[in-house]
């Protein structure tokens, strides 16, 4: 019997729970077709077949927890196991990589054939793919074993590495129609600001002292959950039509809350938005998580006195904005221009 073991699912995860089998003994499965859905601390992941063949045995039932490297599926035949990495190098003549790494490569439009693998046994890692995506700008990876542990490590890294500076302002949103999605308007404003001041839509490599500007806007959306913080990514946010932005964001947030996000939607953000005002608070100093350069925080909308263009005093709905940026990678002028662009779009 040819045994396939649970592969490394990325993010330092050590185990997963079987949710649903998509194959059964006696069935023939094609290479790369989903065999089983497993739930990790971060998402539900589909594990594809590493090669085509006839299934002889399933190691585990729905609800069972299985560790990385443990037997998962037995195939008929006596060929050697390919290990815990999806893909047989000799049979397929391509870079070895886990399902999570392959998904990341697809999401970042990286050809794995161009990636220089640095993992054990010449396996491509997430950092190898990220380095290829941003032009050889390596970042330090964190070992992650759960949402809160991941959050703690990310925040610790951010606090230690980033030269964080926060600038604040208020946007007058009195003109917003009733029922306006604040999250969608904020996302639209961030996209506009990235176009006006590209210096904050970037990744920064501290070791190389280099900043890589990103052409696409992959917008991270901070989502508060009972188990911790998730930041799903809206890919190519700059290409989403304004009238579809609210629905796209609502779907993304719902997937985060139901823990049904694919791994590729949990990494690779170029800039992040935190709409903490939906819960409470006006201003903050949100944390920039490397390799990103900036995060925009939006506080609770409140009525405040303003002087109108006619010189009259009025009470308008004001949206507090807090932009934290990494001063190693961006200047105060770039940050101010970015925030001004956000404000202009919100007030337009």
């Amino acid at each position: 019997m040819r045994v396939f073991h649970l592969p490394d699912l990325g993010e330092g995860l050590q185990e997963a729970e079987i949710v649903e089998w998509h194959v059964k003994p006696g069935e023939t499965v094609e290479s790369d077709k989903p065999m089983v859905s497993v739930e990790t601390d971060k998402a539900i992941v589909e594990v594809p077949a590493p090669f085509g063949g006839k299934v002889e045995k399933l190691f585990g039932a729905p609800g069972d927890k299985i560790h990385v490297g443990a037997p998962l599926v037995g195939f008929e035949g006596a060929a050697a196991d390919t290990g815990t990495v999806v893909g047989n190098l000799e049979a397929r003549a391509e870079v070895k990589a886990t399902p999570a790494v392959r998904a990341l490569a697809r999401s970042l439009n990286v050809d794995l054939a161009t990636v220089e693998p640095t993992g054990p046994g010449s396996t491509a890692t997430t950092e190898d793919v990220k380095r290829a995506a941003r032009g050889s700008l390596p970042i330090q990876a964190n070992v992650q074993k759960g949402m809160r542990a991941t959050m703690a490590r990310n925040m610790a890294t951010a606090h230690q590495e980033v030269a964080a500076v926060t600038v604040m302002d208020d946007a007058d949103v009195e003109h917003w129609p009733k029922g306006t999605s604040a999250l969608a308007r904020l996302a639209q404003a961030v996209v506009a600001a990235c176009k006006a001041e590209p210096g904050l839509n970037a990744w920064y490599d501290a070791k190389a002292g280099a900043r890589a500007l990103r052409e696409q806007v992959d917008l991270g959306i901070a989502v508060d959950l009972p188990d911790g913080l998730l930041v799903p990514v809206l890919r190519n946010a700059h290409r989403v039509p304004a009238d579809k932005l609210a629905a796209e964001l609502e779907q993304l947030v719902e997937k985060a809350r139901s823990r049904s996000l694919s791994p590729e939607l949990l990494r690779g953000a170029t800039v992040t938005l935190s709409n903490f005002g939906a819960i409470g608070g006006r201003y903050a100093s949100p944390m920039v998580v490397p390799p990103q350069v900036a995060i925009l925080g939006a506080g609770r909308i409140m009525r405040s006195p303003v002087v109108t263009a006619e010189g009259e005093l009025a009470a308008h709905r004001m949206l507090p904005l807090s932009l934290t940026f990494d001063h190693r990678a961006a200047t105060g002028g770039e940050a101010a221009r970015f925030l001004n662009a956000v404000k202009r779009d919100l007030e337009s």
Side-chain angles (χ1 to χ4, degrees):
M1 182 168 61
R2 187 179 190 180
V3 178
F4 173 68
H5 299 80
L6 179 66
D8 180 358
L9 300 172
E11 306 299 313
L13 300 169
Q14 298 301 307
E15 67 176 11
E17 180 178 321
I18 296 174
V19 177
E20 179 184 6
W21 284 104
H22 304 306
V23 296
K24 58 185 178 182
E27 286 187 347
T28 299
V29 62
E30 297 179 11
S31 176
D32 288 329
K33 293 296 183 181
M35 296 190 300
V36 61
S37 295
V38 298
E39 184 175 11
T40 70
D41 289 332
K42 295 175 72 76
I44 294 179
V45 181
E46 288 190 342
V47 178
F51 40 74
K54 191 173 184 179
V55 176
E56 182 176 333
K57 183 178 181 180
L58 305 179
F59 293 88
D64 291 348
K65 287 192 175 182
I66 183 171
H67 288 269
V68 169
L72 184 64
V73 179
F75 292 88
E76 289 187 357
D81 177 29
T82 56
T84 58
V85 178
V86 174
N88 186 311
L89 188 59
E90 291 75 21
R92 302 179 65 184
E94 60 181 83
V95 174
K96 292 188 292 183
T98 65
V101 171
R102 290 183 182 278
L104 175 61
R106 287 195 299 270
S107 69
L108 296 179
N109 297 317
V110 172
D111 183 358
L112 278 175
T114 67
V115 174
E116 182 179 352
T118 63
S122 296
T123 301
T125 68
T126 57
E127 300 310 315
D128 295 333
V129 172
K130 290 177 182 179
R131 184 162 55 251
R134 62 181 183 265
S136 299
L137 293 179
I139 60 170
Q140 184 176 356
N142 292 320
V143 177
Q144 301 172 351
K145 294 183 179 180
M147 289 173 59
R148 288 194 179 274
T150 299
M151 179 178 66
R153 291 186 180 93
N154 286 342
M155 294 303 102
T157 299
H159 180 72
Q160 292 169 4
E161 293 186 9
V162 176
V165 177
T166 303
V167 290
M168 303 174 183
D169 207 338
D170 297 290
D172 190 333
V173 297
E174 179 64 23
H175 63 289
W176 281 7
K178 186 177 180 180
T180 297
S181 168
L183 183 60
R185 282 304 308 268
L186 283 161
Q188 177 182 306
V190 170
V191 169
C194 288
K195 183 177 180 181
E197 182 46 74
L200 270 66
N201 185 52
W203 283 341
Y204 179 72
D205 184 325
K207 292 182 179 178
R211 178 181 67 171
L213 303 187
R214 307 302 297 174
E215 292 184 4
Q216 75 278 8
V217 180
D218 291 332
L219 181 62
I221 304 294
V223 180
D224 178 67
L225 299 175
D227 293 332
L229 180 69
L230 278 185
V231 186
V233 181
L234 180 63
R235 298 286 176 204
N236 295 307
H238 58 297
R239 296 178 183 170
V240 180
D243 60 343
K244 298 184 183 300
L245 197 52
E248 290 276 347
L249 290 167
E250 183 178 344
Q251 183 180 42
L252 190 68
V253 171
E254 180 55 36
K255 284 184 177 181
R257 289 173 176 161
S258 64
R259 302 285 302 283
S260 60
L261 288 163
S262 57
E264 64 265 26
L265 292 180
L266 289 168
R267 54 173 70 89
T270 59
V271 65
T272 294
L273 169 63
S274 175
N275 185 25
F276 62 83
I279 302 173
R282 298 193 66 189
Y283 302 99
S285 54
M287 301 286 284
V288 177
V289 177
Q292 294 177 63
V293 170
I295 178 173
L296 178 71
R300 178 187 296 165
I301 297 175
M302 298 182 65
R303 288 198 172 275
S304 299
V306 299
V307 178
T308 66
E310 294 76 25
E312 299 178 351
L313 190 63
H316 283 192
R317 288 180 295 164
M318 305 297 290
L319 173 57
L321 302 170
S322 304
L323 175 69
T324 298
F325 66 100
D326 189 343
H327 215 333
R328 300 174 304 170
T331 67
E334 288 172 324
R337 286 189 289 272
F338 186 96
L339 188 58
N340 284 341
V342 169
K343 182 177 177 179
R344 279 196 307 271
D345 191 86
L346 292 172
E347 293 182 343
S348 63

